[in-house]
Structure formats: C-alpha cells, structure tokens
Amino acid sequence: MAAVLAGGLLRAGATRLFGQAAVLAGAPGLDVVAAADGDACVMAAVTAELTEAPGAAALALDPGVRAAVDGLAHAARDRAPVIVLTPRHPDAGLLAPVVKASLVVTPASAAHWIAHAAQLAMADPRGPVHLQIDAADAEVAAVPVAAAARRAPLPPPDAAALDAVGEAIGRAARPLLVAGLQCTPDDARWLRAFAEALPAPVVVTPKARGALPDPHPLALGLLAADSAVLRRADLLVAIGVDAAEVAPGVLPAATPVVHVGRCPSTGPYRPVAEATGDIALVIEELAPRLRARDRADWDVAELDRMKRATAVVPAALASVLAPHRAVMIARELTDAGTIAATDLPLAAYWQAVAPRELLIPNGLATFGYALPAAIAAQLAHPQRRVVAFAGAPGLLAGAGALATAVARALPIVVVACNDTRPAHDVAAFARAAGAAVHAADSEESFRKAFYEALTARRPAVVDARLTR
C-alpha cells in the first residue's frame, strides 16, 4: 500500500515527504525529510505555497497530537493544500476541526483516497486533508488503480459576472486594488498590467507581498485599517483575497467591494459583484470591458506622498540594533529573488518584487515557523538564497529543524532576533547543532556578521542582540 500512496502523491505533484517515513514504509520515489510533527506540517504547507502542488507530511502522533493540531491549524489558516498521513490513533479525532476531511485508508481504497485527498486539498478554499493508515496495512499489497490526482482546471468566468464587475469598476473614480494570498506569480503579471491600465494603487495582505513589486509607484504597502489610501478609495477590488486574511473592521463598511478570485467570497465583505475562475483569465477578460472607461481620478502626487509616508522608519542608530533595521540591512545585502521567512511582525521592512518572496504565517504567528519554512523554501528553490528571521525562543525550541539544515548542508542564514532579558544562549545552541555562528549587537557588527554568514554557503546563525 505504501507504493500506491507514494505514487498518488507523485502524480499530484508532491516530490517530498516531511516527517516520519515509517507510516509509508519507505515512501518509494519521495525525498523524505525527517522532521518533528509540527515542523513537518509547516514544511509541507510552505512547499505547497511555493510549488502550487500539494505538500505531504507523515506524522508520528507520538507522544500526542498537540504538535500535529498546531501544525495543521497553521496549514488551514494559510490555506495550504497539505496531505497528512498518520497511523490510526485514539486521539486522531482531535485533528478533525483543522482539516478539510479525515479519511481511513485501507489497501482496497488506497488508490482512490490518495487521489481524492489531493483533489480535495487543492480545491478552493485550499487546506489540509488527513489520511489515517493502520500500521498492519502499510506493507499490504494494494491495487494501483489509476486515478486523477491533479486539480481540474477552473471553469471559465461567467460573462454576466464579468460584465457586472466591469460596470462597477467603470463607475468608480478611485478604485483601489487589494491583492491576497490566491495571487500566484502568473497572476501577478496580469495584476501589474491591470493596475497600470486603470491606473489604480495596490495594497496587499501579508501573504501577497510582492504581487506588485514593492518599489513600484502604485504599490502602497500592506492592507491596514488606518491606511490613508483605503479611506480615499470609492471602490475596493479584492483580487485573490481570502476571508482568513482580512480581520473584521479593516475594510471601510461604506466602501463597496467587488471580488475576483478562484472561488466565491466568504467574507468579511459582501461584494456588489464578483467574478470567479482563474484570476489571470478574469483580469484578461475584464480588459476589453474597461477599455472605454475614463482613467481613474487618483492624484499621482497624492499617491507618492502616501507611499513615502508608509515607508517612514526611525533613523538608523549605529550603536544599537533594532529589529526593523536588521531586516532592512539583510535586504540590502542579498540578491534579487532572495526568499525571507519570518515569524515576527517585520513584513513591512522586507522589500519583495515577486510573490512568495516573503513567507509569513497568516494571522497569528505560528511558534517556531521561520526555520522550518526556510528549510522548505531552500529545498524547493535550491538555486536561490533563503534567510530566516526567527524569534530566539522559537528557534531554540526547534533543535531538530536546525539539525536538518546542517545535515543537508542548506546555505540558510538564520537571524536569531534575541531581544529578551536575559538573552538566550543562541550561540551555544547553534554550535551544538553544527551551524556556523556570528554575533552582532549594533548595525555595524550586524552588517559584518550577516555578510560573513551569507558568504559561508552553509547553515549559519547570526545571534542578533536587538534593542527594542
């Protein structure tokens, strides 16, 4: 049965299995990355986010299910399509609230359920699917029935819905585009052309950083309730925004919203019009419907003032090291295309020029997220540089993740944001795991330490003694 399940994962596009391979008795054909249950869920979720295919995790559920619940809750919040396999367990029912479905797999049903799990995980809104396997069945032969494991193409957008969305945008004097987590790199090219053609400014949710390059004049930063551009808009065009990304009260209640996404809106707004389907195709189909409209009435100078206002940060103080300055210096020293992962509220300071260049949990930060996320990113994109900004307590709680990075010689630079009193002994922790260690307590020393870590081409930890 293990071969049938592994074959189904491969057909779905998964190439790695994170966690404990025992549940699949070797997982033939898959690259198995050993990880604790919680870390495995994060790694699988980030892999799905970066590859547009299901991530796969095999969990031990030992000594209990708490780590699995936390990890799968993260995948559910991030709308990450993850297939998680576990042995039968008396407490496995506790996973039900954080997965789309929990299914029991037998040798007779293995081929069917693995294909169903892949399609269900990728169906919008995406999320994790749980498969339970009896230990006695893992090595039993199963019939390798061919079943489609890839997500079916989305239906074309409805013409009447496109007309309604086009009319709403055409009537607006100051439309504002709000990009969300459903925006893929393919969608981003159309989003940029759409924003420039209207023209209209763009704000993004944290998961959508880079959907419009941050340096672009129309990129107005993160969606926030106190945003000046949000108050000035007379129509919000939500593009790929998921309900899980927008807290109640963030969007002005009096401003109408139109929705463009892979699936219908489920809140927190009620759109006056919506068009669903492949986002790039929807935008393409809207273009001829908006060709005759008047150009949007945004004042270019006003937008520039708003953009510069959102970019204001405290002045650099060379004698101390503030968290936001650590991120900004790291961005200065890294190449275009570098991926950053963080579990700290530092999203505003990492300049992204493409989607998925900033990996950050949706909503509440997942404890210890940064390093497992960075490992998954480095495995998915071995040719790119990856940096993790981790809180020291979360980093120290995940010794296994750092050991994995060292064992695989992944050239990840981990910035341990060490701002507690008393400071954690990050250096001793990193040396014990076999990583290179560099220390910094000022901007000058951080610049030197980060550069040395970046050029080491092996796992390195920068112990950044930060000043709040």
Side-chain angles (χ1 to χ4, degrees):
M1 185 168 73
V4 169
L5 293 173
L9 291 173
L10 290 167
R11 289 199 312 278
T15 59
R16 289 186 178 84
L17 180 72
F18 298 96
Q20 311 297 321
V23 74
L24 283 190
L30 295 170
D31 175 20
V32 179
V33 181
D37 284 2
D39 289 347
C41 291
V42 169
M43 292 176 183
V46 170
T47 299
E49 187 175 343
L50 292 172
T51 62
E52 283 293 302
L59 310 184
L61 301 186
D62 183 27
V65 302
R66 179 174 178 178
V69 170
D70 290 345
L72 289 173
H74 161 81
R77 288 193 303 269
D78 271 19
R79 296 294 195 249
V82 171
I83 300 171
V84 58
L85 304 106
T86 74
R88 298 286 292 273
H89 190 281
D91 294 330
L94 296 176
L95 303 183
V98 292
V99 297
K100 297 181 74 172
S102 186
L103 310 166
V104 176
V105 177
T106 65
S109 64
H112 169 76
W113 285 129
I114 191 64
H116 175 74
Q119 293 192 3
L120 180 59
M122 290 294 289
D124 292 295
R126 297 175 178 179
V129 177
H130 175 212
L131 300 180
Q132 297 185 62
I133 303 168
D134 195 306
D137 289 337
E139 298 183 12
V140 175
V143 179
V145 178
R150 295 277 186 171
R151 176 178 65 85
L154 293 171
D158 178 73
L162 288 167
D163 290 341
V165 171
E167 289 174 8
I169 297 174
R171 291 192 301 267
R174 294 182 305 279
L176 171 66
L177 308 186
V178 183
L181 64 80
Q182 290 181 5
C183 288
T184 67
D186 288 339
D187 301 326
R189 291 192 290 269
W190 288 93
L191 174 68
R192 177 172 181 165
F194 191 48
E196 292 173 346
L198 288 172
V202 179
V203 295
V204 298
T205 64
K207 297 291 289 183
R209 284 298 300 274
L212 184 67
D214 286 331
H216 194 286
L218 292 174
L220 270 291
L222 292 170
L223 174 67
D226 58 352
S227 168
V229 71
L230 203 62
R231 295 193 301 269
R232 288 281 289 139
D234 62 357
L235 178 71
L236 305 179
V237 184
I239 301 179
V241 175
D242 189 277
E245 297 184 277
V246 183
V250 171
L251 301 181
T255 307
V257 181
V258 297
H259 175 81
V260 172
R262 294 195 300 245
C263 59
S265 169
T266 57
Y269 50 80
R270 180 172 296 177
V272 296
E274 63 180 340
T276 59
D278 182 271
I279 292 174
L281 179 59
V282 172
I283 295 175
E284 181 183 10
E285 290 293 331
L286 283 174
R289 291 168 166 83
L290 296 170
R291 190 169 291 132
R293 76 179 295 276
D294 293 333
R295 289 172 65 83
D297 190 27
W298 284 103
D299 182 270
V300 175
E302 181 184 21
L303 290 178
D304 182 62
R305 287 194 297 271
M306 292 178 184
K307 184 176 178 68
R308 285 187 285 111
T310 63
V312 171
V313 295
L317 297 172
S319 61
V320 298
L321 182 60
H324 73 278
R325 287 294 299 162
V327 176
M328 296 173 74
I329 292 170
R331 174 72 280 195
E332 292 171 9
L333 295 177
T334 49
D335 296 332
T338 298
I339 298 173
T342 182
D343 45 29
L344 301 170
L346 300 172
Y349 303 108
W350 181 266
Q351 289 277 304
V353 298
R356 316 297 193 256
E357 285 188 357
L358 177 67
L359 302 173
I360 188 169
N362 190 35
L364 297 174
T366 301
F367 185 70
Y369 165 88
L371 181 54
I375 290 171
Q378 192 70 83
L379 291 171
H381 294 296
Q383 75 285 4
R384 295 168 69 175
R385 296 311 306 264
V386 179
V387 180
F389 297 94
L395 178 64
L396 269 60
L402 187 56
T404 296
V406 171
R408 295 208 167 214
L410 302 177
I412 296 168
V413 177
V414 182
V415 177
C417 297
N418 201 350
D419 62 355
T420 58
R421 298 292 182 269
H424 292 283
D425 195 349
V426 170
F429 167 80
R431 290 193 187 95
V437 181
H438 307 271
D441 58 5
S442 67
E443 289 195 13
E444 182 180 358
S445 62
F446 179 80
R447 189 177 293 274
K448 180 177 183 293
F450 187 84
Y451 180 77
E452 291 175 349
L454 200 63
T455 55
R457 292 288 173 175
R458 70 187 184 98
V461 176
V462 178
D463 183 7
R465 301 296 179 90
L466 300 177
T467 301
R468 286 189 180 272

